[in-house]
Amino acid sequence: MTTPYVNAKSEAQTYIDSVFEQLKLKYAHQNEFLQAVEEVFVSLVPVFEQHPEYIKNNVLSRIVEPDRIISFRVTWQDDQNNVHVNRGYRVQFSNVVGPYKGGLRFHPTVNESIMKFLAFEQIFKNSLTTLPIGGAKGGSDFDPKGKSNSEIMRFCQAFMTELYRYVGPDVDVPAGDIGVGGREVGYLYGQYKRIRGAHEAGVLTGKQPGYGGSLARKEATGYGLVYFVEEMLQDAKESFLNKTVVVSGSGNVAIYAMEKAQHFGAKVVACSDSNGYIYDPNGIDLKVVKELKEVNGERISNYVNYRPDAVYSEGCSGIWTIPCDIALPCATQNEIDGEAARTLIANGVKVVAEGANMPSNIEAINEFLNNGVLFGPAKAANAGGVATSALEMAQNSSRVYWSFNEVDEKLHDIMKSIYTQCKTAAEKYGYAGNLVVGANIAGFVKVADGLLKEGVY
Ligand code: NDP
Ligand code: 2IT
């Protein structure tokens, strides 16, 4: 005889499976999007067992279809007056919790699947920050590599000329992501301001400090990641002191993750770019990395010209063969597969926390969880960037600037609160210690409850 509990359980699982099967049929080629959805759905079974109203109101089908996808042509001229065409996107996924919010990515791999996976994750990440921001993402398949400053400016102007009609401080607030930093946000904002004929500073975040930008926004994702890991370590009666850390990437997130990890006494021995990685047994000299990457836009391979004991290796995946206590993937999606995860585990990794969005594939996540590695999932661990974007929006609305320390302290508190939310949700639903389940559930429940409160639309 089946108990009512078992019936309820099977109803939840059946419902979740059926929504996912339909999604797979409809978007068969959107691998990254389906991967991001699958990771969330697997976590939600215990929630749906306890909340039949979510099934009754078909919450999942409503949450996996973006409110809208805006897609446009971006036409621009290079320095030789040749005309180029790129595709631009903005996926406005959900504004249940607040105005659409999320970064812009300029990278040749950008397509609808990548945009949708990033925007989908952003909904739950933004919900975890506890601040009033919905989920979105945008970008273009434009490749900024090798482009002059003028070409970048003209591209950003052409991009905003198309995007401006869909964004606004209370509508949708883009920011940076891969290939988009303070310089690009400045050009995008300049064009928006010209078209609108008004200062609406809250339309974009990640602006330059002094021109509407918040202090500590540049540092926020990397610092926030390390603050999150600090909480994980503290719970395990550990700390960063004297730990060996490997960080992939050498962009915005990676640089400030390395900076804060070093500040907490860790030894960071490796970082990378899309061509290869450097290993410095004496500990990475961050001044050199910043000079190469932030000032000169050079390849990470040139690091060895400044540090004779450092070694450069071609290819990015080799970085995970370097033994470390803490691994912080901060480059891009699916950079850690099952094999890389097994190598990290065999070499004794204790903590893996995601600075990038979806850097570990599902097989890798399961390897970490099943082998006692403390695992900090992206939507929680890298939420410090968007949280500080929301703090920038708050400053813009009230026309004030907070000091670096004020913002940094708020960021630190937000990361602690995100950690606690994830830990508590995991415990509440019977998955103590599993921060993947905890982050997905805590992020989801707030959005689902908001959907129900606002009626069917
Ligand atoms: P940047 O453009 O500043 O840096 C990206 C870094 O990752 C570079 O070192 C780049 O190398 C490397 N990289 C990019 N694409 C690939 C690839 N396909 N294969 C290997 N390496 C690659 O971006 P961010 O630091 O801002 O973003 C890094 C990650 O963090 C992304 O996943 C992003 O979505 C995520 N993130 C960013 C936030 C932010 O506030 N900026 C907030 C939260 C998450 P190269 O220079 O050779 O291209
Ligand atoms: O993935 C992310 O959270 C970001 N790229 C930051 C988004 C933002 O709006 O600050």
Side-chain angles (χ1 to χ4, degrees):
M1 203 180 108
T2 45
T3 62
Y5 175 72
V6 172
N7 276 338
K9 181 176 176 179
S10 91
E11 193 193 347
Q13 186 72 64
T14 308
Y15 170 67
I16 291 173
D17 288 350
S18 87
V19 176
F20 192 58
E21 284 310 310
Q22 285 166 31
L23 205 69
K24 279 202 291 195
L25 286 176
K26 207 163 163 187
Y27 300 114
H29 303 296
Q30 299 188 346
N31 293 333
E32 294 84 1
F33 174 56
L34 292 173
Q35 181 184 335
V37 172
E38 186 179 355
E39 191 222 279
V40 172
F41 274 21
V42 169
S43 303
L44 294 181
V45 178
V47 179
F48 277 72
E49 283 166 0
Q50 293 186 25
H51 291 274
E53 73 276 18
Y54 292 164
I55 303 178
K56 189 163 172 287
N57 286 282
N58 201 4
V59 162
L60 279 190
S61 301
R62 291 158 71 182
I63 247 167
V64 292
E65 271 299 331
D67 289 356
R68 64 197 64 79
I69 300 177
I70 297 142
S71 169
F72 44 88
R73 175 167 53 84
V74 186
T75 310
W76 58 282
Q77 266 184 307
D78 66 22
D79 290 342
Q80 287 73 45
N81 295 329
N82 300 309
V83 178
H84 299 268
V85 173
N86 285 97
R87 199 78 212 145
Y89 300 91
R90 187 71 181 165
V91 177
Q92 297 180 332
F93 222 119
S94 163
N95 67 354
V96 169
V97 181
Y100 302 108
K101 180 85 194 88
L104 297 172
R105 176 177 292 191
F106 293 169
H107 195 272
T109 55
V110 161
N111 58 33
E112 204 168 297
S113 172
I114 304 256
M115 293 285 96
K116 278 175 69 181
F117 113 67
L118 288 163
F120 181 73
E121 295 242 304
Q122 200 84 43
I123 306 171
F124 309 109
K125 180 196 305 193
N126 293 4
S127 157
L128 282 173
T129 67
T130 70
L131 300 166
I133 40 179
K137 202 82 185 193
S140 173
D141 57 3
F142 172 74
D143 186 359
K145 279 206 188 73
K147 303 294 188 297
S148 71
N149 191 44
S150 311
E151 288 170 334
I152 298 284
M153 181 188 73
R154 285 195 295 276
F155 179 80
C156 288
Q157 291 174 341
F159 186 87
M160 184 51 86
T161 302
E162 290 302 318
L163 186 68
Y164 85 94
R165 65 190 84 233
Y166 308 107
V167 295
D170 294 314
V171 179
D172 183 357
V173 183
D177 193 80
I178 291 177
V180 178
R183 174 181 63 165
E184 290 73 18
V185 170
Y187 293 145
L188 290 163
Y189 183 52
Q191 184 71 354
Y192 179 85
K193 202 168 55 167
R194 266 187 297 280
I195 295 171
R196 300 280 300 159
H199 262 285
E200 293 175 0
V203 68
L204 285 159
T205 59
K207 301 178 292 296
Q208 305 278 357
Y211 300 89
S214 176
L215 290 169
R217 173 61 188 89
K218 184 176 70 173
E219 293 82 358
T221 312
Y223 279 21
L225 171 67
V226 170
Y227 293 150
F228 189 89
V229 174
E230 196 193 18
E231 295 303 303
M232 297 168 74
L233 288 167
Q234 262 173 27
D235 252 357
K237 312 250 175 305
E238 287 278 2
S239 79
F240 267 102
L241 194 63
N242 298 327
K243 294 287 186 304
T244 301
V245 178
V246 165
V247 177
S248 66
S250 50
N252 174 258
V253 179
I255 286 176
Y256 293 96
M258 291 195 266
E259 183 166 282
K260 189 50 80 178
Q262 288 181 343
H263 178 81
F264 283 163
K267 185 176 184 188
V268 183
V269 294
C271 68
S272 61
D273 62 19
S274 56
N275 292 105
Y277 65 95
I278 47 151
Y279 170 65
D280 188 339
N282 303 321
I284 296 281
D285 184 338
L286 206 53
K287 272 206 219 82
V288 173
V289 176
K290 283 187 180 181
E291 180 78 12
L292 290 172
K293 289 297 189 180
E294 291 190 327
V295 182
N296 302 334
E298 291 179 55
R299 305 314 298 159
I300 202 68
S301 54
N302 291 348
Y303 181 89
V304 298
N305 301 335
Y306 300 82
R307 301 273 287 185
D309 289 343
V311 182
Y312 173 74
S313 308
E314 277 291 326
C316 357
S317 57
I319 193 168
W320 307 121
T321 64
I322 300 171
C324 61
D325 301 306
I326 301 171
L328 303 176
C330 294
T332 195
Q333 63 273 358
N334 291 327
E335 50 172 317
I336 301 185
D337 58 11
E339 194 189 327
R342 285 186 285 278
T343 306
L344 279 163
I345 293 163
N347 287 335
V349 75
K350 296 180 187 69
V351 180
V352 177
E354 301 184 315
N357 286 307
M358 207 168 76
S360 317
N361 73 11
I362 290 179
E363 188 188 351
I365 295 174
N366 289 333
E367 291 286 355
F368 294 136
L369 294 176
N370 295 335
N371 286 282
V373 175
L374 299 178
F375 182 74
K379 3 180 131 56
N382 75 28
V386 76
T388 308
S389 279
L391 299 178
E392 183 169 320
M393 290 162 72
Q395 292 169 78
N396 293 155
S397 300
S398 52
R399 297 173 192 271
V400 294
Y401 286 120
W402 299 333
S403 70
F404 188 98
N405 284 344
E406 221 173 330
V407 180
D408 191 31
E409 272 170 27
K410 288 186 203 300
L411 166 67
H412 203 153
D413 286 346
I414 291 168
M415 297 314 296
K416 283 183 185 178
S417 133
I418 294 175
Y419 177 74
T420 307
Q421 284 180 68
C422 297
K423 188 180 156 187
T424 311
E427 283 166 1
K428 180 175 170 193
Y429 286 94
Y431 287 81
N434 185 333
L435 298 175
V436 177
V437 168
N440 287 332
I441 291 179
F444 172 84
V445 166
K446 182 170 179 191
V447 181
D449 287 345
L451 257 185
L452 298 189
K453 286 184 209 311
E454 292 177 3
V456 176
Y457 65 95

